Structures are given as structure tokens and as C-alpha cells.
Amino acid sequence: MTPAFKDRADAGHRLAERLARTALPPPVIVLALPRGGVPIGSEVARRLAAPLDLLLVRKIGAPGQPELAVAAVVEGEGPEVVIDEETLAASGADHRYVQDQARGQWREIERRRAVYLKGRARPALQGATVVVVDDGIATGTTARAALQALRRRQPGRLVLAVPVAPADTVARLRAEVDELVCLATPAPFRAVGLHYGDFHQVGDDEVVAALDAASAGAATSGSPRP
């Protein structure tokens, strides 16, 4: 199978060009899911001349099955916990388990924001066009939790933009957003990384560098690139 994208920079550039052809009401704010979504978000933010920030989300896995998400913790003014009630019930866990796990995940969210954003204030999302970006989506459980939490912050328009995802996941997530942009829905899907030639693990240094570059670019740019 030939990968759909050379690397995250290639995917981000192509996604940015697609979004640039979309009528997005200003102001536009790009939120990237770290760490893999940050190189994608950097390309999108640069093309749209929009600020780039992070959407920090931590999955809570089922007891003994850490990859099976029963809930997610999403940052905001305080921790927001979004629970998948059906999966939680099937796992045998309860709300007390979720709350216990959420405390540790919230500490990790705070640590990451301190490392990545160095005290920079969160942008105000109310009334803005918020574009949520990741390098791909598989099941969509974590993305759904993030989008539901963002809705409570009252953006004017909520957009989800990813290079690649399964068609059934895209269909389920459309109900959570005002607009969904996905460049490729290959079948069979298998895993996000299989659709990239280079899908290296993005490190903290790469995240910080991308955010610093986006911040510097936003300070000097007054309009989108042609």
C-alpha cells in the first residue's frame, strides 16, 4: 500500500490548502492535539494566518485495557470529564473509577501545558471559528470527547480537520461539528501511521519549536499567504 502522505508536513500543507478554500468566518483559532497533531496544526495556522494553540486531552482507559477509552479528560477553565457511558458500563468500571483516574490525567495535562506553552494564556474561543486538527483519527472516542467539551466553550463555528480517518468514524463525528474536513478515508484503514511514509514519534522539543514558530509568525503576519 502506497502511503497517502509523505510525512506530517506534507499532510499539513495539503490540509491547509483545503481549509484555505473554505469560507471560515473570522476570527479563526487553530487547536492541535499533541503531539502528532502539532506539525499539522502549524501548517494550517501558518496558511490561515491564525493563532495556534493546543487542545490537551487525556484518555482514561478501562481497567486492564488501557487502550479501550471509557472517558477522556479535556482541559478548559478546569478539567472536563466526558464519559462514554456505554463503554464504561461494559468495562465493569464506574464513575468513581473515572474520577480517580481523571485526577492523574489532569496533572499530566497541566504538566504538558507548562512545558509546551510556557505560561502563555489560552485564547478566548467564544464566538470564534475553532479548527481542531490532528494527524489522523482511528476510533474517534478521544476526538468526540474533545469536541463535546469545546462546544461548552461556545465557539461560533467548530471545525474538525484531519488528513486521514476511517469513513465510519468520519460519519459519526460529523454530528459533533459544524464542518468536517478529511482528505482521505482509505479502506481498509488499520492504523493512522500506515498512511504516512514518515510517522516518527513527535517529541516535546518538536512541539515547542512548532508553537514558538507559530507564535512568531502570528506576530508578524497580517493576512493569509497567497
Side-chain angles (χ1 to χ4, degrees), residues 22-110:
T22 303
L24 297 176
V28 177
I29 298 170
V30 178
L31 297 183
L33 274 74
R35 287 176 291 198
V38 176
I40 308 286
S42 178
E43 292 288 336
V44 170
R46 181 164 56 247
R47 180 65 177 87
L48 301 181
L52 173 65
D53 197 64
L54 300 181
L55 179 57
L56 292 164
V57 186
R58 296 290 294 174
K59 177 174 62 178
I60 296 175
Q65 301 179 75
E67 294 306 312
L68 177 62
V70 298
V73 184
V74 187
E75 72 162 343
E77 294 305 317
E80 293 201 47
V81 181
V82 179
I83 300 173
D84 184 327
E85 297 287 356
E86 183 177 346
T87 306
L88 179 66
S91 75
D94 57 17
H95 282 220
R96 177 172 292 183
Y97 167 81
V98 170
Q99 293 302 323
D100 288 345
Q101 294 294 311
R103 283 191 284 272
Q105 299 299 349
W106 178 244
R107 286 193 294 271
E108 177 60 15
I109 284 174
E110 290 184 312

Side-chain angles (χ1 to χ4, degrees), residues 132-146:
V132 178
V133 179
D134 203 356
D135 54 10
I137 296 174
T139 65
T141 300
T142 303
R144 184 180 301 106

Side-chain angles (χ1 to χ4, degrees), residues 33 132-144 147 160-170 172-174 177 180-182 184-186 189-193 195-196 199:
L33 274 74
V132 178
V133 179
D134 203 356
D135 54 10
I137 296 174
T139 65
T141 300
T142 303
R144 184 180 301 106
L147 294 168
L160 176 62
V162 294
V164 62
D168 58 345
T169 296
V170 169
R172 288 194 299 270
L173 289 174
R174 284 195 188 279
V177 293
L180 195 154
V181 176
C182 180
T185 54
F189 182 81
R190 294 195 287 270
V192 171
H195 304 289
Y196 285 82
F199 196 68

Side-chain angles (χ1 to χ4, degrees), residues 153-214:
R153 296 169 70 179
Q154 300 180 318
R157 189 168 182 82
L158 186 55
V159 180
L160 176 62
V162 294
V164 62
D168 58 345
T169 296
V170 169
R172 288 194 299 270
L173 289 174
R174 284 195 188 279
E176 305 291 346
V177 293
D178 298 301
E179 186 165 356
L180 195 154
V181 176
C182 180
L183 301 182
T185 54
F189 182 81
R190 294 195 287 270
V192 171
L194 294 179
H195 304 289
Y196 285 82
D198 173 6
F199 196 68
H200 68 275
Q201 182 174 344
V202 176
D204 287 351
D205 289 347
E206 189 174 347
V207 170
V208 172
L211 291 167
D212 287 347

